[in-house]
């Protein structure tokens, strides 16, 4: 089916938007604290999710080394810094926002996510990227029947599902495993992570008479507590299968690529 019109809320936060972070935020490198603050701010360099901005006074003394290099980032200028702590040196790991950036973050420090070994909001570790305060993820039980076909072959047919609504993404339908045709499912080594749902415990390709389609389905056996209703259930990428809900075929959404998201994020930081 063609002519897809998104049927889910999109990302609407404008680039350059700044808000206070109401949570205690901490970061660790090589087991050592790098920052500990209750005064952080969010800034959106792109609509997908924000960056944290940390007051320089709340960063461990001597942890930032000015590289003498200016950066022109998506929302304004900054100066590039090396992160140095406990004998670990990470060039280009941080930048200090300069005049010309949004006034509320001038003098604050942002870090490349991967340059900090562990991030904590309050006492809970956060993975992959900051959680956006404007992103909502709901897992709701639904009595609508869901059928999944690949190359005209039925690979799942369930009388109900747990339906996950996530801002900016197509609706996902998580199905009980007893309603999946496991003779068609081929396990793979793929693992993905999400700051809202957790880390996947399984990925599967789908094999039909036509061929094998890689990584069409996944499961979270141990999701975050907010998404506990999906534990152990299997979802398929709407973008790459034919999905029927209560007998009505859904139009395939445009493919969503985490790699594309990350490229856009990196472009905003470089």
């Amino acid at each position: 089916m063609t002519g897809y019109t998104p049927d889910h809320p999109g990302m609407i936060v404008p680039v350059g938007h700044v808000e206070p972070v109401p949570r205690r935020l901490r970061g660790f490198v090589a087991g050592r604290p790098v920052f500990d603050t209750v005064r952080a701010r969010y800034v959106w360099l792109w609509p997908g999710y924000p960056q944290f901005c940390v007051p320089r006074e709340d960063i461990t003394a001597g942890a930032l080394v000015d590289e003498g290099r200016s950066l022109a980032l998506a929302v304004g200028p900054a100066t590039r810094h090396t992160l140095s702590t406990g004998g670990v040196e990470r060039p280009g790991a941080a930048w200090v926002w300069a005049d010309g950036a949004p006034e509320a973050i001038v003098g604050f420090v942002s870090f490349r996510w991967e340059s900090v070994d562990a991030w904590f909001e309050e006492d809970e570790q956060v993975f992959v990227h900051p959680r956006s305060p404007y992103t909502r993820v709901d897992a709701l039980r639904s009595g609508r029947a869901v059928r999944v076909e690949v190359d005209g072959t039925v690979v799942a047919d369930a009388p109900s599902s747990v339906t996950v609504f996530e801002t900016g993404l197509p609706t996902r339908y998580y199905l009980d495993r007893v309603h999946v045709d496991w003779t068609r499912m081929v396990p793979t080594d793929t693992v993905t992570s999400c700051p809202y749902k957790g880390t996947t415990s399984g990925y599967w390709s789908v094999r039909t008479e036509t061929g094998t389609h890689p990584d069409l389905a996944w499961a979270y056996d141990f999701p975050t507590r907010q998404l506990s209703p999906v534990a152990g259930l299997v979802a398929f990428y709407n973008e790459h299968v034919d999905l029927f809900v209560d007998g009505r075929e859904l139009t395939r959404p445009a493919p969503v690529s985490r790699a594309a998201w990350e490229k856009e994020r990196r472009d905003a930081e470089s």
Side-chain angles (χ1 to χ4, degrees):
M1 299 179 69
T2 59
Y4 175 73
T5 300
D7 61 354
H8 55 273
M11 304 291 189
I12 61 172
V13 185
V15 171
H17 186 62
V18 176
E19 290 285 3
V21 177
R23 314 167 188 211
R24 181 188 184 190
L25 183 67
R26 287 179 289 169
F28 295 82
V29 171
R32 296 171 180 266
V34 173
F35 53 84
D36 186 346
T37 186
V38 294
R39 302 182 297 152
R41 292 174 182 165
Y42 297 113
V43 63
W44 274 259
L45 304 190
W46 73 297
Y49 51 82
Q51 278 279 4
F52 288 125
C53 302
V54 178
R56 188 152 189 173
E57 310 85 69
D58 295 339
I59 297 172
T60 302
L64 293 180
V65 179
D66 192 343
E67 298 179 8
R69 175 179 169 186
S70 297
L71 300 174
L73 302 179
V75 300
T79 56
R80 186 172 128 150
H81 286 64
T82 292
L83 181 56
S84 176
T85 183
V88 176
E89 300 276 332
R90 293 183 178 166
W95 57 91
V96 179
W97 292 102
D99 289 337
E103 183 178 356
I105 61 171
V106 171
F108 280 60
V109 181
S110 291
F111 296 87
R112 296 190 187 279
W113 186 267
E114 61 275 11
S115 71
V116 176
D117 295 339
W119 295 79
F120 287 83
E121 291 182 353
E122 298 296 339
D123 291 344
E124 294 194 5
Q125 190 169 358
V126 182
F127 301 93
V128 186
H129 61 70
R131 296 168 177 159
S132 172
Y134 300 124
T135 291
R136 180 163 181 162
V137 186
D138 294 315
L140 306 181
R141 293 187 302 275
S142 173
R144 293 190 286 170
V146 177
R147 186 171 81 252
V148 180
E149 296 184 6
V150 179
D151 296 334
T153 299
V154 177
V155 296
D157 195 353
S160 61
S161 69
V162 172
T163 305
V164 172
F165 304 95
E166 180 174 350
T167 305
L169 289 177
T171 303
R172 302 301 190 192
Y173 300 87
Y174 284 77
L175 313 179
D176 283 307
R177 294 188 183 216
V178 294
H179 302 302
V180 175
D181 182 356
W182 290 99
T183 67
R184 301 286 182 182
M185 308 293 281
V186 181
T188 75
D189 294 329
T190 300
V191 177
T192 59
S193 296
C194 169
Y196 309 104
K197 298 184 288 290
T199 299
T200 56
S201 50
Y203 255 86
W204 294 270
S205 299
V206 173
R207 181 173 53 224
T208 70
E209 283 73 17
T210 302
T212 299
H213 303 267
D215 290 334
L216 292 191
W218 70 91
Y220 293 93
D221 286 348
F222 305 100
T224 60
R225 68 179 185 282
Q226 295 89 343
L227 271 293
S228 60
V230 308
L233 306 186
V234 177
F236 292 81
Y237 279 110
N238 316 35
E239 299 89 334
H240 305 296
V241 303
D242 296 318
L243 189 66
F244 299 79
V245 177
D246 275 348
R248 180 176 67 89
E249 185 175 3
L250 304 187
T251 303
R252 290 190 185 187
V256 175
S257 169
R258 172 67 63 178
W261 273 32
E262 287 305 300
K263 181 181 185 302
E264 188 172 349
R265 187 267 298 174
R266 289 192 300 270
D267 289 345
E269 294 179 2
S270 60

